[in-house]
Amino acid sequence: MSKKLLLFCVFLSLLPLYAKTVKVGYYKDSGNFMSGFSPEDPRAGYAYEYIQTVAAYAGWKCEYVYGEWENLYPALLSGEIDVLSDVSRTPEREKLLLYPDYVMGQETYYLYSNNKDANISPSDFSTWRGKKIALVKDFYQHNLFMEWQKDKNLDCEYIEFSGDEPYYNMFANHEFDLLLEIDTVAESNWNPICRIGSSDFYLAVTKSRPDLLEELNAALADVFAMNPYYNSNLWLKYFTDATISKSITPLEEEWLLRHPKINVGCMYDDLPFANYNEETEEAEGLVVEVFSHLSDTLLDKKSTFSYVFYHDTDLMFSDLQNGIIDVIAPIYRDLNYAEQADLIISEPLTTVTIGYACKKDSVFNENGNYAIPRRLRMPFYIDEHYPNLKTEAYPTYEACLNAVLAGKNDGAICNIYKMRGLVNKNKEYLKLQVSELPKLCEVAFVFARENRELFSLVNKMLSLLPSETIRYAMDTYVVKEQGYTKKTFFKEYFLYIFLSALTFVTILVSLIFALRRIREDMYFDPLTHLRNRRSLNRFIAKFLHRASEKGVPFSLILFDLDDFKYLNDTYGHAFGDQVLATTASIVKSISKRKDRAFRWGGEEFLILFNGDTEAAQAVAEQVRKEIEDLALKHEYEIVKFTVTAGVTTYKAGMTYMDLFRRVDENLYKGKNNGKNQVIA
């Protein structure tokens, strides 16, 4: 029995070794779809995450083959790679490839602009007159566009490119006005002007691997059983910015001209959302941060925002209907209420937690009697989520908590951030326990119907607003509102902080010294303090990448001390070490800041040099001359020594081994020709 168990354990331990390796086509740096130029670069993006999810369910181990569509698609057809993403399904391709039962995604084709002053309207084609539109030949979207434009009477100039031409750079330089491109590769600063069409795409399988198709279908069945919205959620994660218009429509522009100052209605003492700061005499809070973002980005500071603060919600809504203010922020997002009040309400700004406070021996009762503040959110929130509650409205948060302490109400329901702040600042309220209600509160902006252009602009801004902006502003003002200041914190926990900090600093200093010693031992030569041969790989890879992809020249300079064995044997190893250290110091001092110097071997030194042959030869000659002019004293004798150098420069197609073979050959030419010279 034990023998069988042992064999079974061995079998389980060997399972990872038999994971199926699948060759995956990887598009080189295709934006948010797939990012990364080579195996050395980090991989990310929509397609990469999708493939990794499939691989996890199917038990695949991915081997990536990098390239562009022009060479990856033929490789898929020939079976050189097994799977490739972003492959459209056509009757012709169905004869050549295997397609899974599940769509990988849908790519949409837009005409993009990256010039905010282009004044191109998606609904008025007369604004397109004389514009230049860039199209890439032999792509699906090219034919789609040519069909689309037939009945549009566009008076535009079409410029056609092949897939390998630098049309992205030309677009960035505004050499044409519009670019037809897929949303999955569009850059976040591009503005989608007009949608041309769309098509589904798949993770296609080479015809010779039906086994992979079967595994792919099984994996995707599991994925979509777990989350039917997997594709949609993944798309939102990577491509939201690429399809949201960042331009202002003519109607919005006209509204802004009539409203150079936009009046925002807020409640007093409503942090983290809004507040009037008596000390600074300025508005503050999440709402202010959001409208500041709108002014700086979408509106380009065409309008300013003024904040009007209220104690009375009825008066605020009356002022909104009468045009005294243009928007109220933030209100509970209740579409039914908005319709009945003849108002319009925006998309959600954020979702927040509502809190309740009660005496410490009590629990929340959905049929109880609770105190609420006369605020923008509480009545609507309770009507929707806790309709059986009896409520009594009070003018302030403090009045709500006082009513609970006095036994007038079972508890209080209100802004949890305010409630916790009051508890932190008033010891009397420590008799209460503060908890979170399970139902969340969605907040938004509300407008009068005649301000629908502002409503449209705010919705557009909310779609583009980074979640980090909201989260950071909320965190900032929550901390401020809850009143737990640094001073309070340090007063209560000073001793713990001091002891923890002392322990941490001691450990950190020890760790830093240990890591520094390990790093020096691993990557630096202890005698010369130059990098050693082990550390070269990561630097040479970067230099090769820049040279091959961007054309940045670089050279290798290899030095070898002449007759070093004689110096060692004649004057001793201590003097030999002095010669090595002195040579290293000269090599390092003459190297430029962006160069990298190494101790290559016993008496050999290497410079990874940023520059062409002529510049490298000049540096090598400078090192050779300084060493030739140098004299070291050994007891009563003055000792001179020399160095020979080989130089070579990267040329297209050269490998790591080619470079070192060439520089070695040049060095030994110098040795054979009499030493003390530089050969390139």
Side-chain angles (χ1 to χ4, degrees):
M1 188 68 178
S2 60
K3 186 176 181 181
K4 289 181 179 179
L5 181 61
L6 178 62
L7 289 172
F8 180 68
C9 293
V10 171
F11 169 74
L12 287 178
S13 68
L14 292 176
L15 274 178
L17 300 178
Y18 295 99
K20 182 177 289 187
T21 299
V22 178
K23 290 187 177 181
V24 178
Y26 200 98
Y27 299 110
K28 290 198 296 185
D29 201 51
S30 53
N32 281 357
F33 191 72
M34 276 181 160
S35 61
F37 281 100
S38 68
E40 290 76 26
D41 295 318
R43 289 182 286 271
Y46 178 97
Y48 175 69
E49 185 167 339
Y50 185 93
I51 290 165
Q52 281 297 297
T53 301
V54 167
Y57 277 89
W60 293 352
K61 180 180 179 183
C62 296
E63 178 183 321
Y64 297 102
V65 178
Y66 290 78
E68 307 291 352
W69 170 264
E70 291 79 4
N71 46 53
L72 291 177
Y73 181 67
L76 181 69
L77 294 177
S78 66
E80 294 174 59
I81 59 175
D82 299 314
V83 297
L84 181 64
S85 60
D86 196 20
V87 181
S88 300
R89 189 167 191 162
T90 65
E92 294 79 13
R93 288 179 180 171
E94 285 180 347
K95 300 173 185 175
L96 305 171
L97 297 170
L98 301 174
Y99 287 88
D101 298 334
Y102 299 85
V103 171
M104 181 179 180
Q106 184 183 74
E107 58 187 19
T108 306
Y109 312 107
Y110 288 90
L111 285 169
Y112 287 95
S113 166
N114 71 342
N115 183 356
K116 64 182 179 181
D117 300 320
N119 296 320
I120 303 173
S121 169
S123 58
D124 183 1
F125 291 124
S126 67
T127 62
W128 296 39
R129 188 172 295 115
K131 303 299 183 185
K132 296 179 179 179
I133 301 177
L135 311 169
V136 182
K137 295 180 291 186
D138 303 323
F139 278 19
Y140 175 79
Q141 59 265 33
H142 179 279
N143 296 334
L144 196 68
F145 172 81
M146 298 312 292
E147 285 296 318
W148 174 86
Q149 59 86 41
K150 279 182 180 177
D151 60 347
K152 300 295 187 296
N153 297 317
L154 299 182
D155 184 11
C156 299
E157 178 184 348
Y158 301 155
I159 306 171
E160 296 191 328
F161 295 95
S162 63
D164 57 356
E165 291 185 85
Y167 54 90
Y168 271 23
N169 293 336
M170 298 171 70
F171 189 41
N173 294 330
H174 307 305
E175 295 182 36
F176 42 82
D177 304 288
L178 294 169
L179 171 64
L180 180 64
E181 191 50 279
I182 310 169
D183 59 351
T184 53
V185 299
E187 296 182 7
S188 59
N189 61 323
W190 296 358
N191 183 26
I193 298 296
C194 192
R195 183 180 184 274
I196 302 303
S198 63
S199 67
D200 292 337
F201 61 88
Y202 293 79
L203 184 63
V205 180
T206 190
K207 195 78 171 178
S208 61
R209 296 300 303 271
D211 58 315
L212 293 183
L213 179 65
E214 185 177 340
E215 293 168 359
L216 175 57
N217 274 327
L220 290 173
D222 287 341
V223 169
F224 288 106
M226 171 197 69
N227 180 6
Y229 306 104
Y230 177 78
N231 281 359
S232 300
N233 294 340
L234 198 60
W235 187 92
L236 287 170
K237 178 178 177 179
Y238 287 101
F239 300 122
T240 302
D241 286 354
T243 53
I244 298 173
S245 173
K246 304 169 185 68
S247 60
I248 298 174
T249 67
L251 287 175
E252 292 165 349
E253 186 78 49
E254 184 182 330
W255 189 93
L256 289 171
L257 288 173
R258 297 197 312 270
H259 297 80
K261 184 173 77 170
I262 299 170
N263 295 315
V264 182
C266 304
M267 293 297 292
Y268 275 107
D269 193 24
D270 195 30
L271 285 179
F273 305 111
N275 182 48
Y276 180 74
N277 189 315
E278 300 286 352
E279 294 181 5
T280 63
E281 297 184 345
E282 291 181 350
E284 62 182 0
L286 173 64
V287 170
V288 178
E289 302 292 338
V290 167
F291 280 122
S292 176
H293 183 86
L294 172 61
S295 175
D296 292 345
T297 54
L298 199 60
L299 303 189
D300 199 21
K301 299 186 178 178
K302 293 177 181 177
S303 296
T304 58
F305 290 87
S306 176
Y307 298 90
V308 184
F309 287 90
Y310 293 83
H311 291 289
D312 187 331
T313 56
D314 292 336
L315 176 60
M316 180 161 55
F317 277 103
S318 174
D319 283 355
L320 179 67
Q321 294 284 27
N322 293 325
I324 296 172
I325 57 177
D326 302 303
V327 55
I328 292 175
I331 186 173
Y332 183 74
R333 191 169 186 269
D334 187 326
L335 293 169
N336 181 58
Y337 163 77
E339 182 182 22
Q340 291 178 359
D342 199 29
L343 300 170
I344 48 179
I345 200 162
S346 75
E347 292 299 307
L349 165 62
T350 189
T351 301
V352 295
T353 303
I354 299 298
Y356 76 94
C358 58
K359 291 185 178 179
K360 293 194 174 179
D361 56 350
S362 304
V363 294
F364 182 67
N365 177 7
E366 293 196 17
N367 296 300
N369 180 9
Y370 282 81
I372 63 169
R374 294 192 186 101
R375 292 281 160 164
L376 292 168
R377 295 171 291 278
M378 289 310 106
F380 306 113
Y381 172 82
I382 290 168
D383 283 349
E384 179 172 355
H385 297 298
Y386 302 102
N388 295 327
L389 276 182
K390 299 178 184 66
T391 60
E392 187 173 354
Y394 292 87
T396 64
Y397 295 104
E398 290 91 338
C400 291
L401 298 182
N402 290 335
V404 178
L405 287 174
K408 294 180 180 179
N409 301 95
D410 298 326
I413 298 176
C414 57
N415 179 336
I416 194 169
Y417 315 110
K418 285 293 304 179
M419 207 171 340
R420 284 177 173 159
L422 290 171
V423 170
N424 284 337
K425 297 170 187 174
N426 188 331
K427 290 184 178 179
E428 186 67 20
Y429 295 143
L430 292 174
K431 298 174 183 177
L432 302 173
Q433 62 182 21
V434 178
S435 305
E436 297 178 355
L437 289 171
K439 307 289 179 63
L440 297 176
C441 174
E442 203 172 54
V443 298
F445 304 97
V446 68
F447 312 80
R449 288 196 177 276
E450 55 267 26
N451 288 335
R452 61 183 177 276
E453 291 82 9
L454 179 59
F455 160 81
S456 171
L457 285 165
V458 168
N459 271 343
K460 204 176 296 184
M461 180 267 300
L462 289 174
S463 299
L464 296 166
L465 187 66
S467 58
E468 294 80 10
T469 301
I470 295 176
R471 190 161 54 246
Y472 177 77
M474 282 290 289
D475 290 346
T476 300
Y477 292 106
V478 164
V479 170
K480 180 172 184 176
E481 181 52 37
Q482 292 185 355
Y484 204 72
T485 63
K486 294 177 184 177
K487 185 177 180 181
T488 306
F489 180 76
F490 278 104
K491 183 178 179 181
E492 292 186 16
Y493 295 102
F494 173 76
L495 181 60
Y496 300 104
I497 293 169
F498 175 75
L499 293 174
S500 299
L502 185 62
T503 304
F504 176 75
V505 168
T506 304
I507 294 171
L508 184 62
V509 169
S510 303
L511 184 61
I512 289 171
F513 278 108
L515 289 174
R516 183 177 294 173
R517 180 62 182 271
I518 291 169
R519 181 174 176 269
E520 287 178 355
D521 289 347
M522 285 182 63
Y523 296 115
F524 287 83
D525 175 54
L527 174 63
T528 63
H529 304 296
L530 294 179
R531 291 181 174 85
N532 60 24
R533 196 166 187 158
R534 181 186 292 146
S535 68
L536 177 66
N537 287 342
R538 62 194 180 102
F539 291 104
I540 192 72
K542 289 180 181 179
F543 277 65
L544 281 167
H545 173 72
R546 286 191 305 166
S548 61
E549 295 290 335
K550 301 178 182 179
V552 179
F554 78 95
S555 304
L556 294 186
I557 309 172
L558 184 60
F559 299 95
D560 188 289
L561 284 162
D562 297 327
D563 304 314
F564 183 72
K565 185 176 184 303
Y566 169 78
L567 293 174
N568 250 345
D569 293 345
T570 305
Y571 301 105
H573 289 282
F575 183 77
D577 287 348
Q578 185 183 357
V579 169
L580 291 170
T582 304
T583 304
S585 177
I586 293 171
V587 168
K588 188 173 182 179
S589 67
I590 292 176
S591 302
K592 294 185 295 184
R593 186 173 62 87
K594 291 185 178 181
D595 299 334
R596 294 290 181 268
F598 304 83
R599 183 177 179 186
W600 185 241
E603 63 267 26
E604 290 183 321
F605 300 87
L606 178 77
I607 297 178
L608 199 52
F609 179 77
N610 275 282
D612 57 17
T613 304
E614 185 178 348
Q617 195 169 358
V619 166
E621 181 60 33
Q622 187 179 353
V623 171
R624 186 204 66 77
K625 186 70 170 62
E626 282 203 23
I627 291 173
E628 181 184 46
D629 294 342
L630 190 68
L632 296 180
K633 187 175 182 182
H634 178 262
E635 296 180 353
Y636 302 106
E637 184 178 349
I638 299 299
V639 181
K640 297 179 72 65
F641 56 95
T642 60
V643 69
T644 300
V647 176
T648 191
T649 301
Y650 172 83
K651 292 181 175 56
M654 291 182 77
T655 66
Y656 178 98
M657 297 304 297
D658 295 335
L659 283 164
F660 283 98
R661 186 176 62 253
R662 289 284 301 277
V663 76
D664 219 35
E665 289 172 356
N666 289 341
L667 173 65
Y668 281 97
K669 281 181 188 175
K671 289 285 189 181
N672 294 332
N673 290 343
K675 305 176 184 177
N676 191 23
Q677 56 188 280
V678 175
I679 301 295

